[in-house]
Amino acid sequence: MAIYESEHTKFMREWLAKHPQEIDEQRKGRALWWDKPQDVVSQARLDQSKVPVKAYYYDINH
């Protein structure tokens, strides 16, 4: 454990200890916004369709 713990971290740790049902809500929110299933075929198609960007976008000579 770290030597320093911020006031916010202490508050959240105590609050979650008093409200354990919120841990499930956190997991649901994370699954909704962040934990998405990965599709390898679609990702490969997106990677292949990328167009290279010039080093200097406004250079008309290259």
Side-chain angles (χ1 to χ4, degrees):
M1 184 169 211
I3 296 171
Y4 173 75
E5 189 173 61
S6 71
E7 294 292 322
H8 179 72
T9 302
K10 290 178 187 177
F11 169 77
M12 288 305 296
R13 197 178 305 279
E14 291 171 7
W15 192 80
L16 287 173
K18 292 178 185 175
H19 302 92
Q21 70 277 9
E22 292 300 321
I23 295 173
D24 291 333
E25 288 297 318
Q26 279 184 335
R27 288 188 182 126
K28 287 179 190 175
R30 179 183 168 113
L32 178 66
W33 291 104
W34 298 105
D35 297 336
K36 301 289 183 184
Q38 302 297 312
D39 183 13
V40 178
V41 175
S42 295
Q43 187 62 43
R45 191 172 63 236
L46 287 172
D47 290 341
Q48 291 174 351
S49 67
K50 288 184 180 177
V51 177
V53 179
K54 296 188 290 184
Y56 184 65
Y57 188 77
Y58 298 104
D59 186 6
I60 60 171
N61 297 321
H62 290 95

